[in-house]
Every structure is written in C-alpha cells, then in structure tokens.
C-alpha cells in the first residue's frame, strides 16, 4: 500500500516511536506532584516544551501542549476573542481555513459576534490588502493558516501579520500543515499546530500565545498547562512529538527539495496523461508535498475507491468532510472544479518510484470510471434542432449533471443555450468550472421549481 | 522508590504497553478515511469502543473517547446542561466532587445557572435524601462521584440514581476512581472516567451518555466521536486503554480483597503507631486501595518531602491543589483535620512488605517533623494566671496555629478560653478538629482586626 495522505495524518516517525517508548516508563506520573516520579515527569515535560518552543521560535512559557491541533485552534480562538472582548467582537478568517477555525467562527457568530471571511483567488491565496480592508476598530482577532491543507497553497502570513500588527490586532496562525518544514516567519501573535502531521503521535497539539497578547482561557478552570489546556498531561506523547519535530526539521530542507520535485512531476504530468484535468493551487507558493487536481466527469469517491484498490491511499474533496457529499469549502472558495478531486500529499521519504507508479495507474483508472459513467468522448456534434435545450439532472449526483451537459452541448447551435436542472450542490461549482475548461460561456443561475437551473451558452 | 499514589495516576499496565506498541503501526491513520489505513484504524477504534462499553456496561454507541477524564467531565456536564436547558438551569453536585466537576459548576453559575452543593457527613458520604430534597422542577442535571478521590469513600450512587430517575433528572457519575474495580451499578444517565487511573495511557477519557438522555454538545462543531469529543482520535492510546481496562478487571476481585487487607492494616496501625492521628473516610464504604489520615501538628508538605526522602511517594491535602496551600475542599466538606494530611493509594500489585516498611518509617518521620516544629509533648500543665489567653499566630502557616494553641491550653483553668488569632485558612478546619480530637470545646469564630479569632474553651 502506498500512502499519499500525509496532510491528513503521517505515520509515526521512528524517532517519535523511540521517544514514546522511552518515556512511557518515566513520564506517566503527575508532573504537579513533588515526589520523585512527579519530578521526573515534570523534567520530561519541561524539556519537551523547550524543544518544541525552539522549533516554533518562541519562548517555552509561551507554548502549551493541547490534546490535538483542533483543540489548540478552539482554545486559541476563544481565548483570544475573550481576552480582547473590550476591543470588540469582530473576527476575521480566510475562506479556506481548516474546519476547526471556521467552526470556531460559527460559534462566535452564534453568540452574537461578527465574522468577516476573506476571499481567496483561484490559487487559494488571500491578499494582505483584503485583510487590511477588513480590519475594523472592533476587530478582536484575525486568523490565517500558514498553508492550505487541501491544495498546499502558502499564504502571505508575514505580510498579513504586519498589517494586523499595525492595527493592533493579534493574528492567529494555524500552522498545522507547514510547521514540519520550518518556523512561521513574521510577527504573528498566536500559533497552533498538530503533532500527527509531522510524524508525532496522535493526541498532541501546540498552542502558542506570545507574551503581551491578551488571552483569557475559557471553560472550567484547570491549573495544568498554564490554564490553557485542561486535563492530565500526556507526557510520553508530548515527548515523542517534540523529539520527532526536531528530527524532521533536521532533514526538512533536503526533503522539501526532493518532495517538491516529485509533486512538480505530478503537476506537470497528470494533465498530460489524463484528459480534462485541472491542477489546483498555487504553482509557486506551495507546500513541498501536496498536489491537488480535479478530473472532469469523475465521481471523486469512485476514484478514491479505485485508487485504493490499485494500492494508493489518497484523499478527496475537503479533507474534513469525507463523510458528506458537499464539495470542499476550499475548492468552493477558489472557484475551481470540485468533481473527481484528488489530493496527493506525500509523506517525507516517499520513493520516487511510488510517484511514477501512481502516474502510470491514474490514467487508466480515470478512463475506466468515465467509461462506466458514459462520458461523451466525441467532440461536439453538428447542431440539430432547437437553439435551447433543458437537461433534467434532478436527483443525480455529481459528476452526472456535468456529463449530461457535455453530452448535449453539441446539440445546440453556437449561440444557443443549455439549461441544466440540478439539485446537487456540487453543480454550482462544477458547471462554471467546466465552462472555463471547455471555453464555453457560463450565463448564470435561474430559479427552477426544483433545484437550480444552470445556463450555459455554446460559443464554439 | 515505592509509589503509593495510584489515585493520582497509575503506572502503565503491561497490557496497555503491548497494545499501544502493537497499534502504533495500525492505528495512526484517520479513521474517517475510506482507504486501507483508514479502515484499519476504524476497526481498531470500533473494537476498543466495544471493549470499553462492555467494561462500563453500556452500548458501544453510548460511549465516546475523550482526551482525558477532565475533558469527559467538562463535555458531559456542559452537554447535559445544554440538552436540558428547557427543563431549567439548576445543577446539583456533591461538595466532594473532583475539581473538574466543581469548576464546571462554577462556569455554569457564572453564566447565570444555579448550583446546589450537597453536603457530606464526617466520612465523606452524601445521603440520597439530601439529593431528593435538592431536586427542583428546574433541575437540569445532578452529579455524583462513584467514590471519592481523596479519601476513598464510596457514594450511594444507585440510590441517588433512583431518586433522580424518579424526578426525571439525569445523573452524571464521575467514575474515575472506581471503574477499575467494576461497573457502576444503578440507573445512572451519564458516566465519565479516565484511563490513566487504571493503568491505561494518559490522554484517554470516557464519556458515556445513555440513549434517551438529552445531550447537546457545546463548542465548535466537530464530526469525530459522535460530535462529543473534538479533535483527531488517538487510536493507539484508546486501544491501550480498553485493553488494560479489560486486563485489570480480570483480576479486580482478587486484587481488591488483597489491597483492602493492606489498607485495613494502615487504618488500624497508623493510629496505634503515631500519636494524634485521625484516619478519615468511611470505614466500610470505601475503595480497596485508598486510605487517608491526618497528623496533628504536622505540616503536610514537610511530611511528603520526608516520606519522599525515605522512598515513599504519597500525596497530601487535595489531590488537585498540590500547588496551593489551601486545605482540600474534600477534607473541608467533611469537617475533619486537614493538617499533616496523607493519602496512600496503592497500585494493584503493591507488595505487602512495602506497606509494612511504610508503617515502620512513618512514626519516626512524623515525630521528627513535630520535634522540629516544637510541638508540646507534655500534657496540659496546671492552670496559672488569667482565665483567658490570646495566641497571636498571624502570618504563621498551618500547623503552627494549632501547635501554639496546644502549648497554652494548659495555661488557662478549666472553663477558661484561648483565642487563637490566625489568617491561615486551614485554621478554620484544624482548630475545631483539634478540639474534637482533644475533647476540648470549640466555641466559634470572632471577628478580629486581622485574620480571625478562633475561641476554644478548656473543659478538661
């Protein structure tokens, strides 16, 4: 089995395993206790905190260990918002944040706060000026990921941090995807991360709050971890997390260059090998190991299933909505094709041959799925009959509405329109994306008795 | 080093270690993913859930894994309160709950809810009728620990559950201390526990919500663990927790009988070996492995330090306020002596010889501390002079105020009074406790310019 889903979780790093096993004997006791076992546990915890702080580039007393990256985000956002309640209740987030950030924003909004979502361009990148424009006198906090978890696009964190600093607003950076590769540059105020993304064990996140940042932990009082992360410390896991972060960092520069070459290979060759593919994400500002593409006329779930059968583990759509059929909020915000979406995220150490084998398997896999779905392989036929057609794709899931559209576009003359009736949320994204890929004109939406009518004009 | 603080954290059980190591390779991936690694992780998680549910005595779909017992309590209480908001906002807790329960109650109160604390008797036990009396039409939730973490007293959970059920109010049972020994009997509605109390790894708690109980998870939405425990699942730890619970349960009956004999030995022999000791907690309704006693005229921190030097790891006062000097809320609620407090909690497998060695070391250790503090060894001297005396112990920490009282009680005639001025919170508990132990009369408190005047009448 070839595992290409490191952005979701990385296998345990050998150094993490060693550190975990060694500290199971030393780190199980309560570090708040004064007896020998407690003091020993405290020493381990302190050393892990120092190592993690060094990797982050902060003071040890600015960093606490949480039980996951998600918990770090939840606690970081609610603590920062509460600490700045006097300033106001306005929160800024980008539209492509991890669901833990967006769900925290939902809670804030439900409690009467206001939220501004910063849009992204087609590569998934925010612009610092959009943050500048969104800042208000009552802005309590701004959030920006260091890099996107679905498409790998790196964000201009340092510039946004500068803009926020100038306005006196703290910036929280979700560094879950990038901390493995290096420190987050710039004058950020809070930072979160997750150990199982860098080969550390599950159950460990980081929350960093810079000195001077107003922060009021929420929830029941708990004296552990400076009152910022309730519950008994998981010291063996924390030790393993810190040790593995240090270990991956030692090889980060060389490994990043190597993985970047492998993802470049995928970026370049997939569109050449597979017809009707859109590679999404920023070409330059991107993480070394992630590459994402969408395949027209393909059901993402079926593609994942077939790739799994062929021995490849990849993910699709939003990494956080795998159990639903709604297209990823990230792809939606970018305005790119969502159907047949595949995220390949290479773990450090991925052999070059695995990537080549993936590239050799992918074209046939995609073709087989398309064939099963009855995708039109013919180019647009000669016009015949009416200059406007209606395709009823109600009740049919993505990619069927787009396939049906492709089947009939040649049946209207140039200048004629096709109206696709669909109640699948993905159509809203994928029909315009198909138009862009095919050089046809997307006219817009029309109300319909059931679902929505998506109108497309044939222009060639 | 002899470790007698299992109620705080137990060393990792060998079965937990094996299970953890085995599942590090199988359980690191995201169980929400459909590829092979994800499916394998999901299988492990499901199997662990079934094993834990079997040990608890609930359905697997009623049980979620949290990241600690503390988090289970926080999430359980806030979820149950929110789920029953329509019924009202009244919460009932016992006065001797774990701090995670009491701090959750504080949050509820700060948000406008009302809280009733059920008192305990001198052994630390609540009465079911007190719960019955406290139930109101607007009671949303009641909480009761299965057994106390500081003194080992078992609570009448089944009776209280019956009383609550009759009133249609759910009962949340914090089973952290007792789940290792067996299921919690009775018709409870929610249950919480913590794996590192039974030799499982840190980082795993249990939250059980019976079907039919109204429950509304709070905080940002997260789809993992039925929406009740946010963050990436820590599957290797969860597998280890479930495996070790099963393993300790297999030996629980025999080990409980053996440990009970050892704690009985301490209960009987400590008062015989060490003068002026009060063994606290219920003699009959108690956990097998916990025994707690307080030593008059002894500073608990000094005693812990000396016992640590002698090779014994025990805890003192409130297990949750080790970094503060405030006497434990549990001892306070019981109205027993708090000074020189020692909790001995034996891990399963404790050799009998370790207990004997502890009993041989303790008398000399206590005597040395008392000698250093200048404790009066003489019985009360003949009366001389005034029939009322004032002892100024302002600024002096426990046990000094009590020691000073003991020094002068013989200086007033029978019927005369001593007024001890103290600003140490522990004096409020320890001066009445001393009176009870010494057969003197505690008259009460008097306002004073600084601190409080505690008035004691010599009656013999």
């Amino acid at each position: 089995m070839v595992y290409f889903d490191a952005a979701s979780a990385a296998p345990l790093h050998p150094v993490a395993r060693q550190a975990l096993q060694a500290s199971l004997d030393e780190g199980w006791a309560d570090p708040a206790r004064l007896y020998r076992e407690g003091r020993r546990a405290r020493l381990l915890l302190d050393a892990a905190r120092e190592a993690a702080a060094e990797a982050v580039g902060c003071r040890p007393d600015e960093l606490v260990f949480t039980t996951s990256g998600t918990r770090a985000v939840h606690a970081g956002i609610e603590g920062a918002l509460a600490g700045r309640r006097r300033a106001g209740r306005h929160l800024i987030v980008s539209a492509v944040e991890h669901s833990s950030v967006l769900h925290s924003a939902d809670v804030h909004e439900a409690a009467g706060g206001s939220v501004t979502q910063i849009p992204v361009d087609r590569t998934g990148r925010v612009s610092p000026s959009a943050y500048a424009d969104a800042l208000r006198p009552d802005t309590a906090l701004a959030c920006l990921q260091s890099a996107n978890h679905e498409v790998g696009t790196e964000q201009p964190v340092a510039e946004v941090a500068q803009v926020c600093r100038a306005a006196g607003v703290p910036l929280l950076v979700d560094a879950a995807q990038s901390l493995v590769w290096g420190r987050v540059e710039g004058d950020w105020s809070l930072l979160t991360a997750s150990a199982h993304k860098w080969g550390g064990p599950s159950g460990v996140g980081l929350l960093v709050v810079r000195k001077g940042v107003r922060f009021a932990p929420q929830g029941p009082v708990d004296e552990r971890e400076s009152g910022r992360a309730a519950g008994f410390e998981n010291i063996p896991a924390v030790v393993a997390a810190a040790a593995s972060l240090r270990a991956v960092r030692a090889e980060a520069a060389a490994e990043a260059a190597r993985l970047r070459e492998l993802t470049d290979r995928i970026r370049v060759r997939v569109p050449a090998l597979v017809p009707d593919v859109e590679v999404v994400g920023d070409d330059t500002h991107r993480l070394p190991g992630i590459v994402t593409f969408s395949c027209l006329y393909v059901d993402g779930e079926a593609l994942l299933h077939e790739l799994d059968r062929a021995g490849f583990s990849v993910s699709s759509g939003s990494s956080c909505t795998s159990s639903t059929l709604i297209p990823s909020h990230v792809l939606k915000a970018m305005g790119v094709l969502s159907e047949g979406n595949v995220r390949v995220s290479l773990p450090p150490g991925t052999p070059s041959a695995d990537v080549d084998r993936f590239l050799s398997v992918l074209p046939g896999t995609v073709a087989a799925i398309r064939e099963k779905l009855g995708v039109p392989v013919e180019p647009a036929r000669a016009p015949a009959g009416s200059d406007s057609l209606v395709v009823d794709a109600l009740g049919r899931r993505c990619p069927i509405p787009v396939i049906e559209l492709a089947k009939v576009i040649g049946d209207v003359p140039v200048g004629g329109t096709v109206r696709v009736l669909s109640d699948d949320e993905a159509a809203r994204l994928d029909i315009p994306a198909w138009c862009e890929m095919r050089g046809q004109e997307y006219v817009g939406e029309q109300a319909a008795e059931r679902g929505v009518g998506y109108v497309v004009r044939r222009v060639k």
Side-chain angles (χ1 to χ4, degrees), chain A:
Chain A
M1 203 71 191
V2 173
Y3 182 76
F4 281 173
D5 197 22
S8 177
L12 200 64
H13 193 284
V15 166
R17 179 186 300 260
Q18 279 166 24
L20 184 66
Q21 288 181 354
S23 54
L24 287 175
D25 287 329
E26 304 278 315
W28 54 270
D30 185 346
R33 298 290 174 192
L34 303 175
Y35 45 68
R36 196 170 310 178
E37 294 86 350
R39 296 195 305 267
R40 217 164 51 183
R42 166 66 55 193
L43 285 176
L44 285 176
L45 180 58
D46 289 347
R49 196 184 315 279
E50 274 178 35
E54 161 70 21
V56 168
C58 68
R59 290 167 38 167
D61 60 354
E62 293 174 331
L63 182 149
V64 300
F65 294 106
T66 64
T67 55
S68 65
T70 292
R71 281 292 308 161
V73 165
H74 292 177
I77 291 179
E78 66 178 13
L81 286 172
R84 300 241 317 146
R85 193 159 287 165
R86 281 187 173 184
R89 304 194 63 193
H90 179 231
L91 170 66
I92 302 174
V93 299
S94 90
V96 295
E97 295 298 310
H98 186 262
S99 58
S100 58
V101 173
L102 297 180
H103 290 154
S104 293
D106 291 344
V107 166
H108 180 61
E109 210 162 15
S114 63
V115 177
T116 300
Q117 275 206 7
I118 305 296
V120 294
D121 64 19
R122 213 176 153 79
T123 73
R125 230 168 121 81
V126 304
S127 99
S129 65
Y131 270 79
D133 293 346
L135 286 162
R136 306 192 318 212
D138 67 336
T139 303
L141 177 69
C143 300
L144 178 61
Q145 63 195 187
S146 55
N148 187 268
H149 50 296
E150 271 187 56
V151 299
T153 299
E154 288 174 335
Q155 303 292 356
V157 170
E159 294 90 323
V160 171
Q162 201 171 12
V163 160
C164 291
R165 179 68 62 177
V169 170
L171 178 70
L172 181 147
V173 179
D174 169 12
Q177 292 297 334
S178 78
L179 200 66
V180 59
W181 301 114
R183 293 180 178 182
V184 175
E185 300 301 330
D187 196 9
W188 48 265
S189 295
L190 300 102
L191 181 143
T192 60
S194 172
H196 74 105
K197 307 286 190 193
W198 68 66
S202 308
V204 182
L206 304 182
L207 170 61
V208 180
V209 182
R210 291 276 198 207
K211 286 287 151 198
V213 174
R214 287 185 188 278
F215 193 85
Q218 298 300 289
V221 169
D222 190 288
E223 62 188 9
R224 298 182 187 273
E225 291 296 288
S226 310
R228 291 174 183 170
F232 193 81
E233 296 91 340
N234 188 351
I235 295 177
V238 154
V239 168
S244 53
L245 181 54
R246 186 187 286 223
V248 292
R249 279 291 190 77
E251 297 158 3
E255 188 61 19
R258 205 180 66 80
L259 290 187
R260 190 172 292 277
E261 195 280 318
L262 296 180
T263 48
D264 270 336
R265 197 181 303 172
I266 295 173
R267 289 183 77 85
V268 171
R269 297 201 45 209
V270 163
L273 292 166
V274 183
D276 297 325
V277 159
E278 181 176 10
V279 175
V280 297
D282 197 287
D283 197 19
T284 317
H285 302 105
R286 63 183 185 86
L287 291 172
I290 298 185
V291 53
T292 303
F293 53 86
S294 298
C295 306
L296 204 57
Y297 313 136
V298 168
D299 170 357
E301 211 171 300
L303 181 52
L304 254 55
H305 182 69
E306 290 306 319
L307 286 171
D308 177 48
R309 280 166 51 107
F312 293 94
S313 300
V314 297
S315 76
S316 172
S318 170
S319 60
C320 291
T321 54
S322 62
S323 61
T324 72
L325 298 171
I326 303 162
S328 131
H329 70 273
V330 172
L331 301 177
K332 235 191 238 179
M334 294 166 67
V336 295
L337 186 72
S338 80
E339 65 186 33
N341 182 257
V342 171
R343 175 184 70 185
V344 173
S345 55
L346 308 178
T350 296
S352 169
D354 283 357
V355 170
D356 289 336
R357 203 153 64 73
F358 177 76
L359 289 170
S360 73
V361 161
L362 184 70
T365 309
V366 171
I369 293 169
R370 284 176 175 165
E371 200 185 324
K372 222 183 275 178
L373 289 170
V375 172
V377 285
E378 304 277 308
R381 279 155 289 171
S386 170
D387 66 351
S388 82
L389 275 176
V390 175
V391 172
D392 181 352
L394 290 168
R396 319 238 11 219
R397 260 184 55 202
C398 166
I400 300 299
V402 177
I403 291 176
E404 294 301 316
L405 166 62
K407 278 184 185 162
V408 302
I409 191 74
D411 295 346
V412 297
V414 170
T417 57
V418 176
R419 189 157 67 105
V420 183
L421 293 175
S422 170
D423 48 10
D424 182 355
E425 184 58 28
R428 175 161 287 136
L429 196 55
D430 292 341
I431 290 174
W434 178 89
C435 292
E436 180 142 340
M437 290 173 79
R438 278 290 178 267
Q440 304 293 4
E441 181 192 348
Y442 177 64
V443 178
E445 295 181 16
Q446 278 182 354
E449 205 170 317
R450 272 183 61 209
V452 174
Y454 298 94
V455 181
V456 175
R457 177 170 291 118
R458 181 174 175 197
V459 293
K460 63 172 197 182

